[in-house]
Each structure stands twice: as C-alpha cells, then as structure tokens.
Amino acid sequence: LFRSQVNSRVAGTVSEVLVDENQMVTAGQLIARLDVRDFEVRRQQALAQLAQARAQVQQAQARIAQARSEITREQAHSTKAQQDLERAKALSQGGNEAISRQEFDGAQAGADIASAAVQSAGSALQSAEAAAGAAQAQEKVAEANLQEAELQLSYTDILVPSAGRIGKKNLETGNRVQPGQALL
C-alpha cells in the first residue's frame, strides 16, 4: 500500500474543499482552493511595478536620444567655432593684423567653450546610457517579481500528485494552511 501526502506550497486560507474522505482521485485533480485575494494583490502590485519599470526604460531611452541630439548640435557649434578660430588666425598673422588681439582671443575662447560643450554632451550621453542600463535591470527585476507572484497565485489551486483514494482529510473551508502542512 502506497501512501502519499498532499500539502500546500503556500500559506493561505482554504476557500473551497472539493473532495471527501475515501473519494477516488486522479493525478492532477483539483482538490482544494486557497483564497486568492492576497495573491492577486501581490500580482497586481508586480504588474504595476513592471509598468513603472518599463516607463523608466522609455524615459531613459528618450534621454539617450536627447543626449545624442545635444552632441550633434554641440559638434556643429564646435565646427563653426573652430572655423572661426582658423579665420581669426589667418587674419591675425602675416603682418596685416586685420583683427585685434581681443577678437582673436574671443575666437579662441569660443572654440574652447564649444569643445568643452561637446565633451559635456558626451558625458551626458554616457550618464543617460548608464541610467538606461539601470532601468533595464529594474525591468528585469520587475518581470521576475511578476513571474513569482503569478507562480504563488497558481499554488492556490491544490492538486493531487497521483491517483488514489483520499485517506485522512485534515482540510476544511476556513482553515489556515502553511507550506508543507499535511492536508490529505
């Protein structure tokens, strides 16, 4: 004679018992249900966290696009400032000194500022990419939390592991059960 215990994988309150003592059962048959409300709340929370994480990923991707646009803009400013500096050099050399030292220094400062702005925009892009990586990691965590919540919810249906006859039934509607507790 083979004996097998049926137990719950999660803690919960029994909402429905579908078998009686001495009843024949088949493998995989639903024999009891736990109250799903707490598990459904956890699932809804996990769904909300996942939606929030996905929104953060989209925001991070938008910041990356914005940073790339900023780099393009600053590179254009830098190119113009460098060209202005080259013209100023040509005008300040060769003895004709068509521009003053102050104008030349202004062109030099403009080129330096534009170069620094390109570097700053590059740093902003790196920061946005790092934030995107963190947001994607949070999304993966939220996805895993949702899977865990759905798994826990699935455990509220208590199934018999193998065919046989119900022996002693330690399970009634309203009972509080714990994981591993012998139910049948």
Side-chain angles (χ1 to χ4, degrees):
L1 180 65
F2 176 71
R3 298 183 69 159
S4 175
Q5 281 189 358
V6 176
N7 46 39
S8 176
R9 296 181 81 167
V10 294
T13 303
V14 178
S15 63
E16 188 175 12
V17 178
L18 303 168
V19 293
D20 290 313
E21 286 185 0
N22 296 318
Q23 180 178 336
M24 294 298 295
V25 292
T26 59
Q29 179 178 337
L30 178 65
I31 58 173
R33 285 192 176 101
L34 301 180
D35 186 347
V36 299
R37 292 176 293 185
D38 291 338
F39 297 95
E40 187 58 41
V41 166
R42 287 186 208 118
R43 182 180 169 279
Q44 291 300 323
Q45 288 172 334
L47 280 169
Q49 289 170 348
L50 180 57
Q52 182 180 24
R54 286 183 174 155
Q56 289 172 343
V57 166
Q58 288 178 341
Q59 286 176 341
Q61 289 170 341
R63 283 192 293 273
I64 288 172
Q66 183 180 9
R68 286 185 176 143
S69 295
E70 188 78 16
I71 287 174
T72 301
R73 187 185 76 175
E74 294 303 336
Q75 285 174 333
H77 284 144
S78 181
T79 299
K80 182 187 179 305
Q82 196 62 40
Q83 290 169 345
D84 289 347
L85 178 60
E86 293 303 318
R87 281 190 288 275
K89 278 182 186 177
L91 292 172
S92 69
Q93 293 174 348
N96 60 2
E97 296 182 13
I99 65 168
S100 70
R101 179 69 185 172
Q102 183 179 6
E103 290 172 310
F104 176 77
D105 290 346
Q108 180 68 54
D112 292 345
I113 290 169
S115 177
V118 169
Q119 289 178 350
S120 176
S123 295
L125 175 59
Q126 288 177 339
S127 176
E129 288 171 338
Q136 289 167 343
Q138 278 303 118
E139 181 181 29
K140 296 245 184 271
V141 168
E143 287 171 351
N145 288 342
L146 176 59
Q147 289 175 348
E148 173 68 16
E150 288 175 341
L151 182 63
Q152 296 295 312
L153 180 61
S154 75
Y155 291 154
T156 61
D157 284 345
I158 300 173
L159 309 175
V160 69
S162 57
R165 181 181 305 273
I166 299 297
K168 184 169 173 145
K169 182 175 87 165
N170 301 319
L171 185 65
E172 297 296 331
T173 301
N175 286 7
R176 181 85 180 148
V177 297
Q178 298 299 319
Q181 174 184 346
L183 306 177
L184 304 171

